Amino acid sequence: MAYAPDFAVLLTPGAVFDAGWNDGTTGGIVPMEIGSAVLPTGRIVGCDPLVFPENAPYLVAVEPGSYPLIAWVAVFSREGKETDRRNAALELRVSGAPTVAWEMALTSADADVAGLSEDGFFGYGVDAGCGALADEAAVRPLKDWDFERTEDELIGEMDWEGPVTGLAAAVTDPATGANVVLVGSGFGDGAYPTFIGRDADGAVTRFVTDFLVLPD
């Protein structure tokens, strides 16, 4: 069966889990709103925008608009003292309706979820320690930015000491207001899946990238 996170922990404020490090460390889930994603096309791209802005958009699109972004932060503690925090998930919230079903977000109609091995998934690659859910119109301009501009507007603005590690944001398409809001990707580089939630009527409620912080 393909990988799916424990959404009851990952997306529940105050949920507590054993970090699995055999030293008494536990993690607590804290949601933090980090602004909004402006989506002029509604075609959503999950990517490390500093390295892979050319990633294809997900097959499922939403109505153009502005949607809240929430970082689901895992705050680790031992003996009552915070020891670390990592972004466990990044959510683009499309609707406030209850989510009753989930599916893996795909960028190709040829992707065979049923054929994945146990705990396998389709996800996007990260090579700069960050991830984003943004409009296609927001990430495409980054391909033409030189390093100096990227450093000035995004890399240099990433806050690694704040409550949401690696947080930075920039408007990348002034004509439409399309923006990129990026966060640190869990424990760093790798590949991370995104899931689409739907309500009882089948309408999209949220896109959630799981940064694989929770133990298996």
Side-chain angles (χ1 to χ4, degrees):
M1 180 180 295
Y3 170 77
D6 185 349
F7 291 107
V9 176
L10 185 63
L11 303 180
T12 298
V16 176
F17 61 93
D18 187 326
W21 300 340
N22 299 317
D23 63 356
T25 298
T26 59
I29 299 296
V30 180
M32 297 188 179
E33 293 192 22
I34 55 173
S36 297
V38 177
L39 310 180
T41 73
R43 296 190 296 271
I44 299 167
V45 176
C47 68
D48 172 344
L50 302 180
V51 182
F52 303 113
E54 74 282 357
N55 280 12
Y58 295 121
L59 298 177
V60 175
V62 299
E63 288 293 321
S66 179
Y67 297 93
L69 289 164
I70 297 94
W72 292 84
V73 181
V75 180
F76 294 98
S77 60
R78 187 170 59 252
E79 297 179 351
K81 182 179 180 180
E82 181 178 332
T83 58
D84 195 10
R85 60 176 53 213
R86 301 281 173 163
N87 301 316
L90 176 63
E91 175 189 355
L92 189 156
R93 185 166 296 171
V94 180
S95 161
T99 299
V100 301
W102 292 94
E103 65 196 59
M104 197 173 295
L106 305 174
T107 59
S108 170
D110 295 326
D112 180 14
V113 175
L116 289 171
S117 60
E118 185 176 0
D119 290 335
F121 60 80
F122 294 104
Y124 65 79
V126 168
D127 199 37
C130 64
L133 291 170
D135 195 275
E136 184 178 27
V139 296
R140 292 296 180 263
L142 293 174
K143 296 188 297 182
D144 299 321
W145 286 20
D146 58 25
F147 180 78
E148 182 177 358
R149 183 177 182 185
T150 304
E151 169 73 23
D152 288 344
E153 298 196 31
L154 282 174
I155 300 175
E157 296 299 316
M158 295 175 73
D159 180 6
W160 292 101
E161 304 299 326
V164 177
T165 60
L167 179 62
V171 173
T172 55
D173 182 25
T176 63
N179 64 331
V180 169
V181 180
L182 56 84
V183 298
S185 53
F187 289 106
D189 297 343
Y192 300 104
T194 297
F195 296 87
I196 298 169
R198 294 185 183 272
D199 65 19
D201 295 322
V204 173
T205 58
R206 61 224 294 197
F207 285 70
V208 176
T209 299
D210 176 12
F211 290 128
L212 307 180
V213 168
L214 271 62
D216 296 335

